[in-house]
Amino acid sequence: MWLTSKIKQVFMVAKPGVVTLRYPFEPRPAPPNFRGQPYWDHHKCIGCGGCAAHCPARTILVRDLCQELRVMVYDGSRCTYCGRCADVCPEDAITMTSSYELATGSKEDINETMELFMATCQRCGRCYDHEITNAIDRMSRIGFKYDSLEMRAVVPVSSEQFDMKLYEKTEKIKRPEKAGE
Amino acid sequence: MPGIEEIKNGLKKKFKDAVVAVEEQSPTRLFVDIKSAKVREISNGIIAMGARYLVSVGYDNISRDGTLGMIHTFGFDRDGIFLALRTSVPESKPVMDSITPDIPNAGWSEREYMDLLGMKFTAHPKPKRLILADDWPEGVHPLRKDIPWNLMPPAAEDVAYQLDECPEGCSIIPVGPYHPTLHEPAHFAVFVDGETIKGSDYRGFMTHRGIEKLCQTQLTYNEIPFVAERICGICGSVHAATYAQAVELAAGIRISRRAEYIRTIMLEIERIHSHLLWLGVAGHLIGFDTVFMQSWRIREPIMWLGERITGNRKTYGMIVIGGVRRDITPEIKEDILSVIGKVEEELLTVKKAIQGDSAIHRRTKGVGYVSTEDTMLWSLVGPVARARNVDIDVRRDFPYAAYDEMKFDVPVFDSNDVWATVLVRLLETFEAIKIIRQCLDKMPNDGPILTELEAPIPPLRHGLMAVEAPRGEAVHYVITGEENAPDRWRVRAPTYPNLQGVPLMLLGNQLADVPIIIGSIDPCFSCTDRMEIVDLRSGAAKTASQRELEELSRNKR
């Protein structure tokens, strides 16, 4: 009984043979809709910050340096590759690529920084509040315009209003020469 | 067999004005508000009606009416009704009766709220610290709203958990904090007389990360599914699904039928891979590495399938409130069918090998015996309960997603040991394959996969949801909040009740069977570097490496 069951097991094992992949020596491409390293297309990005508002890991930061200049930073070291940013992007500016071999000696290699020129509305420049009914804003409760790029921290505000105190507080943090580094 | 009306009337008649209000949220959910003085009596009354205890939920309601809320939840398996018993105690005097003396499984839930909310339970049999670290300061209750989410008290030294008193003439064998069976930390102190186990004590929660607090304060509704998925590395989708469905239930959101089918498929794919994983681990623990190698080989195509469907082999990230994120196209449908066909065929060979192997029989039969009565008393769940002749399965008893249209068997065995849990899990894998085939067959071809939310989620609604995870039932309780985030989100993973039953399973067994018994509940905490053997009589301590314990387990005949 014992011996026959062992002999049967030998056949069970022998049939599939060796299945180990020679992975690092032979490349193993990921399937087409794999959620790998996200890629930002700065030509398409309109700087709405929807990705930052939906990022569960808070890896996308948005900071307005002035009325016209918005900096967006993607901190790849904290990313969970859920692909939520690519889902919500209204302009399809974000794609999840199939690259997954991201091990690196420097964090900066997997970060991405974009400086976007934001046009101001010719009439009064304050009409953004009227768009508060759109889906992205309704879902969010974080003020994504005043994030601390230096501390790599999202600055949460729980109101829709511009919080002057909070803004002043983050203003005082010393900025490096080049934003996002 | 009480219906929802009978439960309502029965409670009102029996406890009269102790029952303050009864809310019937849906034909399957009953919320009962009671006075806190009668909580123990009413809980017993509900158990006597044939209910099974699920979990307790405590929450901070101080800002609204100055009370701490406590909710005991129960499930009527035969009628498919969930009952939540809501009560509250004032913040100034947060004392209520413990229900643990009658319902032992409530022990951990109550200890949890002693730690996290500062509640007190009279007549609790073991009012020790459970969740918080040993050096966490007294009197700071992190789940209260006035405590910031990122509070970090300074660490203290020379503080240790006081284990239970060891019985006369026994030695203590600490198993852990790094643990011999799986790969997360937990500490069992096993009291042995020679080789025979006479009792045990457990100190766990070493990886308590405060996810509930974090999600209540920092994240928004649709970010939480991604955190929920990371509660468990094996059954992640289950937690995301339970959470999403609890919120949908609380807010009254109806999602499309197609999305429900896709959720069902994902949950079942996850069940196949989880059971195959467990089978491998169990084989490894009893020294039968052929099973380990082969079942993991069979499992790998399932992981690749998940990668092709969702974009990642394990953290699927498929489920959000309102539906799912990716569709199942006709090509993927063909892909799924071919993969599960192959898995079924290969698993049949492994099943035959396991059933015919006398070594496995000898190592698992009669090991970890718990009587059916004790299983029900301790409200154990999942394969652990089904292997002990308790016929419960959330998919069948409280259908969610598309399970109401599925036809499947629930394997139940009455040998009450580890061998039966092996069989239950093997057979369930075949049932899961059956369910996936039915889903793909019956799935409606149109309909959105993600339903847009029309209005904000209304605050202070309660939602209770249970989902059959591979390990048992996962229960989530959600109280919706104002700022686009839940006010309270309680997670009860299936290991929570099952782990409380481990001392029962260990009793009277041999030390070499500890790994497979603890492993048999498929625990979601775990692994090991070493354990320490302390001989009380001589006082000499020696350290046994993982290898030595494994050798002990593997060389047992």
Side-chain angles (χ1 to χ4, degrees):
Chain A
M1 173 66 188
W2 181 84
L3 193 66
T4 51
S5 70
K6 288 296 164 200
I7 292 170
K8 275 182 192 164
Q9 281 164 25
V10 169
F11 282 114
M12 180 181 84
V13 173
K15 203 181 156 201
V18 179
V19 292
T20 313
L21 301 171
R22 294 178 47 78
Y23 162 57
F25 308 108
E26 283 166 17
R28 181 160 176 80
N33 55 2
F34 183 73
R35 302 198 309 264
Q37 188 180 29
Y39 167 74
W40 265 259
D41 186 345
H42 64 275
H43 292 297
K44 287 183 182 169
C45 181
I46 56 169
C48 70
C51 47
H54 280 76
C55 180
R58 302 275 191 265
T59 63
I60 305 168
L61 309 162
V62 185
R63 172 76 168 250
D64 289 343
L65 293 185
C66 63
Q67 179 92 354
E68 274 82 31
L69 192 61
R70 171 167 285 186
V71 179
M72 298 191 67
V73 174
Y74 160 71
D75 185 352
S77 61
R78 220 160 58 190
C79 183
T80 62
Y81 305 97
C82 67
R84 193 79 178 130
C85 48
D87 277 10
V88 299
C89 182
E91 298 293 310
D92 289 333
I94 307 171
T95 35
M96 300 303 281
T97 64
S98 53
S99 93
Y100 60 91
E101 287 159 326
L102 306 178
T104 169
S106 159
K107 275 185 187 178
E108 294 307 314
D109 294 349
I110 47 171
N111 291 354
E112 208 161 336
T113 308
M114 285 194 297
E115 291 175 20
L116 299 169
F117 177 74
M118 306 293 283
T120 310
C121 175
Q122 295 298 308
R123 294 177 113 169
C124 68
R126 282 183 281 117
C127 63
Y128 194 70
D129 267 2
H130 296 293
E131 287 177 29
I132 212 75
T133 50
N134 79 32
I136 288 171
D137 282 339
R138 227 172 38 209
M139 297 295 295
S140 78
R141 62 165 186 174
I142 56 170
F144 43 77
K145 287 181 187 168
Y146 329 110
D147 299 344
S148 166
L149 303 182
E150 299 77 22
M151 313 264 294
R152 286 281 191 272
V154 168
V155 177
V157 286
S158 50
S159 74
E160 293 161 359
Q161 307 299 317
F162 184 92
D163 189 342
M164 204 58 208
K165 267 188 202 154
L166 205 64
Y167 180 65
E168 276 162 15
K169 223 160 82 185
T170 58
E171 250 330 66
K172 277 176 201 151
I173 298 171
K174 191 175 165 282
R175 289 194 194 134
E177 298 291 282
K178 201 177 157 199
E181 284 179 7
Chain B
M1 277 215 185
I4 201 159
E5 286 300 320
E6 283 167 56
I7 297 172
K8 260 160 71 174
N9 297 338
L11 283 177
K12 274 184 190 158
K13 211 163 106 191
K14 201 163 170 197
F15 301 106
K16 297 188 181 70
D17 46 342
V19 177
V20 180
V22 178
E23 182 198 335
E24 201 182 320
Q25 192 191 42
S26 74
T28 56
R29 302 287 189 281
L30 191 66
F31 292 87
V32 182
D33 292 297
I34 57 159
K35 285 179 183 159
S36 61
K38 285 277 177 83
V39 65
R40 186 169 168 182
E41 214 173 298
I42 298 179
S43 300
N44 289 341
I46 292 168
I47 292 288
M49 279 175 178
R52 183 167 54 88
Y53 173 78
L54 299 177
V55 70
S56 302
V57 187
Y59 61 102
D60 175 354
N61 213 9
I62 296 170
S63 58
R64 294 196 187 86
D65 57 4
T67 61
L68 295 171
M70 189 73 185
I71 304 167
H72 296 301
T73 57
F74 301 87
F76 289 86
D77 293 306
R78 295 289 151 265
D79 319 283
I81 297 167
F82 283 125
L83 191 150
L85 207 59
R86 298 190 290 207
T87 182
S88 61
V89 285
E91 186 213 354
S92 50
K93 192 172 171 283
V95 184
M96 66 192 289
D97 279 343
S98 168
I99 62 169
T100 311
D102 309 302
I103 309 167
N105 205 271
W108 277 16
S109 282
E110 290 185 340
R111 280 165 74 185
E112 195 173 322
Y113 298 115
M114 291 180 203
D115 287 4
L116 297 179
L117 285 170
M119 295 171 99
K120 289 191 176 59
F121 296 93
T122 46
H124 192 289
K126 192 177 175 180
K128 283 185 173 180
R129 184 166 278 201
L130 179 76
I131 283 219
L132 295 177
D134 293 326
D135 62 351
W136 185 271
E138 289 287 335
V140 180
H141 305 297
L143 212 54
R144 291 203 183 186
K145 294 225 168 98
D146 53 346
I147 305 291
W149 66 279
N150 52 1
L151 175 76
M152 266 217 273
E157 287 185 12
D158 300 331
V159 196
Y161 177 79
Q162 289 300 313
L163 289 166
D164 281 357
E165 201 67 26
C166 178
E168 186 87 8
C170 288
S171 308
I172 304 175
I173 296 192
V175 183
Y178 294 96
H179 188 273
T181 60
L182 292 173
H183 304 262
E184 295 151 66
H187 184 158
F188 285 91
V190 184
F191 308 135
V192 293
D193 183 6
E195 278 268 316
T196 316
I197 299 164
K198 295 286 182 194
S200 58
D201 190 18
Y202 175 75
R203 171 67 175 153
F205 294 88
M206 307 204 178
T207 47
H208 178 233
R209 291 157 291 178
I211 281 184
E212 290 174 6
K213 176 86 178 176
L214 182 75
C215 290
Q216 281 154 221
T217 53
Q218 293 297 302
L219 298 186
T220 59
Y221 277 122
N222 248 349
E223 286 168 342
I224 296 179
F226 299 96
V227 179
E229 203 165 52
R230 284 161 177 82
I231 291 174
C232 176
I234 317 286
C235 51
S237 265
V238 167
H239 287 286
T242 327
Y243 163 76
Q245 291 179 21
V247 174
E248 283 156 11
L249 212 63
I253 302 164
R254 281 192 69 92
I255 70 165
S256 81
R257 197 68 187 147
R258 188 176 171 80
E260 289 188 328
Y261 268 91
I262 297 175
R263 278 184 185 176
T264 312
I265 293 171
M266 290 326 293
L267 291 175
E268 290 305 321
I269 287 179
E270 202 168 57
R271 191 180 318 279
I272 297 177
H273 104 75
S274 174
H275 280 347
L276 286 175
L277 178 133
W278 179 81
L279 199 61
V281 172
H284 176 70
L285 287 174
I286 54 174
F288 193 1
D289 276 342
T290 311
V291 169
F292 167 59
M293 293 289 181
Q294 294 307 312
S295 67
W296 281 43
R297 174 180 63 78
I298 299 170
R299 170 178 176 260
E300 197 55 26
I302 293 278
M303 309 307 283
W304 290 338
L305 176 70
E307 197 174 73
R308 290 194 293 271
I309 301 172
T310 67
N312 205 313
R313 56 185 270 133
K314 184 64 255 330
T315 37
Y316 297 146
M318 275 286 262
I319 295 163
V320 288
I321 296 165
V324 291
R325 285 172 60 204
R326 289 192 180 181
D327 203 359
I328 289 189
T329 58
E331 298 86 66
I332 289 197
K333 184 177 163 181
E334 288 307 311
D335 196 2
I336 296 175
L337 281 175
S338 74
V339 170
I340 59 172
K342 190 104 196 337
V343 168
E344 189 177 27
E345 189 193 313
E346 290 185 309
L347 189 60
L348 216 54
T349 329
V350 173
K351 186 184 162 213
K352 274 185 202 150
I354 290 174
Q355 280 180 330
D357 193 284
S358 49
I360 293 191
H361 288 241
R362 277 210 296 273
R363 282 307 308 275
T364 55
K365 277 190 176 167
V367 171
Y369 179 88
V370 179
S371 70
T372 309
E373 292 72 39
D374 280 345
T375 310
M376 282 157 87
L377 177 72
W378 281 82
S379 29
L380 304 186
V381 295
V384 178
R386 288 196 282 278
R388 290 170 176 84
N389 208 11
V390 181
D391 191 5
I392 50 167
D393 190 318
V394 187
R395 295 175 292 170
R396 182 196 60 199
D397 301 334
F398 310 91
Y400 51 90
Y403 284 108
D404 48 347
E405 285 180 27
M406 299 296 126
K407 285 194 176 62
F408 58 96
D409 297 326
V410 177
V412 177
F413 289 91
D414 57 1
S415 63
N416 295 26
D417 53 9
V418 174
W419 171 244
T421 60
V422 176
L423 283 183
V424 165
R425 289 198 169 98
L426 261 174
L427 296 180
E428 264 181 25
T429 317
F430 291 107
E431 294 303 317
I433 292 172
K434 230 162 86 182
I435 294 172
I436 295 174
R437 289 213 176 103
Q438 289 177 49
C439 278
L440 291 172
D441 207 28
K442 290 182 184 169
M443 189 159 70
N445 286 323
D446 47 350
I449 53 164
L450 191 63
T451 312
E452 280 288 323
L453 272 61
E454 280 164 12
I457 292 168
L460 299 184
R461 301 268 191 89
H462 291 229
L464 169 61
M465 188 71 214
V467 163
E468 185 74 21
R471 296 164 174 68
E473 58 178 23
V475 182
H476 286 212
Y477 196 99
V478 170
I479 302 175
T480 58
E482 276 107 8
E483 293 189 345
N484 199 23
D487 192 63
R488 178 80 176 97
W489 172 46
R490 166 73 153 113
V491 180
R492 195 214 67 182
T495 308
Y496 198 80
N498 282 349
L499 212 48
Q500 296 183 63
V502 165
L504 219 61
M505 292 179 208
L506 291 178
L507 212 61
N509 280 288
Q510 295 203 317
L511 183 61
D513 290 327
V514 169
I516 185 63
I517 293 173
I518 297 173
S520 80
I521 68 163
D522 201 356
C524 243
F525 63 73
S526 313
C527 183
T528 284
D529 287 25
R530 59 181 185 93
M531 71 168 201
E532 208 172 35
I533 301 176
V534 182
D535 189 343
L536 277 191
R537 285 168 207 155
S538 65
K542 76 168 188 175
T543 303
S545 67
Q546 177 198 2
R547 181 155 295 169
E548 281 172 37
L549 181 68
E550 249 175 30
E551 297 274 283
L552 192 64
S553 169
R554 286 152 157 244
N555 295 338
K556 196 197 162 196
R557 291 281 180 266

